[in-house]
Amino acid sequence: MSDTVGGDEPLLNRAQIAQIFNVSENTIDKWRGKGMPVEVEGGNGVAYGFLFSACKEWFDESQARAAAEKRAADDFVAQQRMAFLGIDKKDQKAGLSPVQMRELAQAELVWMQAAERRRSLVQVDEMVELLDLVFGEIRAGLDGLPDWLEREFSLSGEDVERVVAYNDGILRAIKIAIEAAALGERPEVVDPLDRGLI
């Protein structure tokens, strides 16, 4: 086809425009169906006519639109994955792909197993058992302290009551700290002598 339209740019047929874009003529037909501009409608012995500049502009816009749609879909997938995994957007893991997340999880598992063997990582149930034992000893010691102080230092009944109140404050502060740790909150530390915040 040797016709020109709008200056020196030649009008191209399907085979020529397909050759420029390095695709088949069937792909050109599909692109026409998606809106690629045609200067001369073909059919019944008439060849289709395309201007490369118009086709290139349409192609670039289509590629940009497809890339934007892919980015939007990828962002949506990433947000849903973060929500599903409970990851904050500021978390370093937020931008990782599923393969990277799996590799990170495997590395963390190996690290935890090594730390456990070094005894620098303790199982939760072992720690709970240890804390139960420690706090049981603390409670027993604090419960017996007023009687021991009364015998050793001949404390008055009023002094013994003050020691009991002080010990109760210590136990309450420990309980508050444990509950706050379990709920992820910072405990208010109370001075058992004057009940004020420390």
Side-chain angles (χ1 to χ4, degrees), residues 144-155:
L145 184 61
D147 292 338
W148 181 81
L149 289 172
E150 182 181 22
R151 284 191 312 274
E152 288 293 316
F153 301 106
S154 302
L155 296 181

Side-chain angles (χ1 to χ4, degrees), residues 79-91:
Q79 289 171 358
Q80 296 307 312
R81 188 179 78 221
M82 285 188 301
F84 179 75
L85 297 174
I87 299 174
D88 190 312
K89 193 173 186 177
K90 296 174 187 171
D91 192 322

Side-chain angles (χ1 to χ4, degrees), residues 18-84:
Q19 187 176 2
I20 290 175
F21 283 106
N22 196 31
V23 296
S24 70
E25 291 183 40
N26 286 339
T27 299
I28 295 299
D29 291 338
K30 288 178 187 172
W31 287 359
R32 267 189 317 105
K34 291 181 179 180
M36 187 170 84
V38 179
E39 294 300 312
V40 176
E41 282 293 335
N44 294 332
V46 178
Y48 284 94
F50 301 90
L51 281 178
F52 172 70
S53 59
C55 293
K56 176 74 166 82
E57 184 179 344
W58 173 86
F59 179 80
D60 290 344
E61 288 173 0
S62 297
Q63 293 291 98
R65 190 169 42 256
E69 289 171 359
K70 183 181 183 317
R71 274 194 307 276
D74 289 346
D75 288 347
F76 177 79
V77 168
Q79 289 171 358
Q80 296 307 312
R81 188 179 78 221
M82 285 188 301
F84 179 75

